[in-house]
Amino acid sequence: YNYYPGDDENLSLGIELDFQIFQFMKLIFKYIHQDGNSLISDGVEQRLKIAGVGNYSLFNGIMEMETNIEFHNWFNRKPIGFLLPVEAIPVSYDHRKLNDIWFVNAKINARVSSFTISYTWHNLSEIILNAGGYDNMNDLVIHPLMPEMGRQASMTISWDFLD
């Protein structure tokens, strides 16, 4: 490995378009182009995100429900460098281009008064493939020297009290 040079420039440009389809639903299109050859660049040259967001009022307005599904594509990925985990020293890393990544995230959030429960899925496609017994999973390869990331599901419960 070579210690990373002092070049720390990074240019990132993006655009986001939000379309209200119905009173309770909108679509979001987001595109980001990044041109950086430094540690502050994550190596993803182009990102595309298509999201559907819904807000619903149920049970005569007693419950508010929010839904969110996001389709992500990270393409033209080129790892530039990384920080050594223990020493936190920047190191340059020349490696071949990484494969493009497609993944899906989803979230459901329900609120009644000050009580909120939400469930979030990261890399939902890998969860579905795993449940179906497929061998070819949709693990995310973020960096060649890091282990592949699979899926994550989390539930959050919060209750806000006045006192």
Side-chain angles (χ1 to χ4, degrees):
Y1 298 118
N2 297 322
Y3 286 102
Y4 203 77
D7 180 12
D8 59 353
E9 292 182 6
N10 186 43
L11 175 64
S12 181
L13 300 171
I15 186 168
E16 180 174 319
L17 302 172
D18 295 2
F19 298 100
Q20 194 75 36
I21 296 187
F22 301 109
Q23 182 180 3
F24 56 88
M25 184 177 290
K26 71 177 177 178
L27 279 178
I28 300 170
F29 297 94
K30 186 174 186 178
Y31 174 78
I32 296 174
H33 178 82
Q34 180 174 256
D35 185 22
N37 292 324
S38 70
L39 285 176
I40 58 174
S41 167
D42 56 9
V44 180
E45 188 173 308
Q46 296 172 314
R47 298 170 195 258
L48 176 66
K49 174 177 139 180
I50 302 169
V53 178
N55 292 305
Y56 311 95
S57 182
L58 305 172
F59 307 115
N60 293 326
I62 294 173
M63 177 186 282
E64 297 293 324
M65 180 166 290
E66 300 171 13
T67 59
N68 186 348
I69 186 161
E70 301 174 345
F71 298 90
H72 295 265
N73 183 6
W74 293 355
F75 50 105
N76 295 328
R77 300 181 332 142
K78 300 171 196 133
I80 303 300
F82 63 96
L83 291 173
L84 290 175
V86 176
E87 295 88 0
I89 298 171
V91 176
S92 64
Y93 182 75
D94 295 324
H95 191 74
R96 61 176 167 64
K97 179 181 167 187
L98 293 173
N99 293 334
D100 296 346
I101 296 177
W102 276 99
F103 59 98
V104 180
N105 296 336
K107 182 176 183 176
I108 296 175
N109 188 29
R111 186 178 76 244
V112 175
S113 186
S114 64
F115 182 78
T116 304
I117 185 167
S118 64
Y119 204 82
T120 306
W121 299 271
H122 295 282
N123 198 7
L124 183 61
S125 53
E126 202 276 337
I127 295 171
I128 294 169
L129 290 172
N130 189 25
Y134 292 98
D135 292 334
N136 188 9
M137 303 298 180
N138 190 36
D139 290 335
L140 305 180
V141 178
I142 304 299
H143 193 279
L145 297 179
M146 303 298 270
E148 295 177 352
M149 295 183 357
R151 63 195 182 273
Q152 178 183 4
S154 63
M155 182 172 70
T156 304
I157 299 172
S158 66
W159 196 350
D160 298 326
F161 296 97
L162 295 177
D163 294 335

